Amino acid sequence: MRGLVAWTWVSSQMRVQHKIVPLIPELSLLLSLQTLLSEKVGQLMDWTGKRSVIRMNGEKFRRFVKAPPRNYSVIIMFTALQPQRQCGVCKQADEEYQILANSWRYSNAFTNRVFFATVDFDEGSDVFQMLNMNSAPTFIHFPAKGKPKKSDTYELQVRGFAAEQLARWVGDRTDVQIRVIRPPNYAGPLMLGFLLAVIGGLAYLRRNNLEFLYNRNVWAFSALCFCLIMTSGQMWNHIRGPPYAHKNPNTGQVSYIHGSSQAQFVAETHIVLLFNCAVTLGMVLLHEAATSDMDIGKRKIMCIGGICLVMLFFSWLLSIFRAKYHGYPYSFLMS
């Protein structure tokens, strides 16, 4: 009887060992992966503690972004900040990116779920080649699982590079909401205070003669300037923070007019503002030629000048509209 019990116990132990032995390599692999992941996260947290945006080269990119394991997302700005690259947009975008990364690093909700990094072309050209990238700046989200999708590439030309817009995109891709905190900027309040001081000083100096406040031409000119600024898209620039222009890194060609109706450059708003001013000036000249009591020769010159301004600059405005709204059938003087 004792022999039977002993044999039963030995058989059960052998079955348990038979089940456990194949799991030992898997457990060893799992532990090694956990250790490797812990080392990677610890290294990234250490770098982030020193600098909100981690600078990566090809080796760091392959180890911390491409190679598994990874349970964190990485937002990478691919840029070209070296002076010889002459990428002014890269510098502006980098400033906004730094604001976003600092807002995340010093927020109470900071975790190791998301890290911010940059890859400069001169430090990681092999990464650019690996990803078939030929333009900068470019923002790409590398998710914790899987490969980046089309929506993981930020639409810079449409949304601009303002930190607030980048924060919304990061929230959509990672479910991490970042409240952007900008450093204090006293330029705006100082300019407003200076303007109010100048206006107050002029009003004080002319306190005995304030008839200019009732001058229709002054108020008409002020209202016209306000309308021209608003219709040119300055408010859109203030909200979206688009680049001033776009320079093709391959050809070096600079584009001042955005090719999409959903976006614009800052230079584009300046061009539209100038054209609208010229058309308005032409209309004013035509009105003065028709209503003033000057001699007929001057009125003819004003009329011809007004017609030329209206026709030429309205034609340019229409051509810009055609370039942005593809398929628009109408043109005037030039296509």
Side-chain angles (χ1 to χ4, degrees), residues 3 18 28 45-46 83 89 208 232 234 262 269-270 276 278:
H18 179 72
S28 177
M45 290 292 290
D46 182 58
V89 178
N208 297 324
S232 65
Q234 297 298 329
Q262 303 298 319
T269 62
H270 296 166
N276 283 333

Side-chain angles (χ1 to χ4, degrees), residues 224-235 273:
L224 179 60
C225 291
F226 179 80
C227 291
L228 290 173
I229 291 174
M230 291 297 104
T231 55
S232 65
Q234 297 298 329
M235 187 58 67
L273 175 62

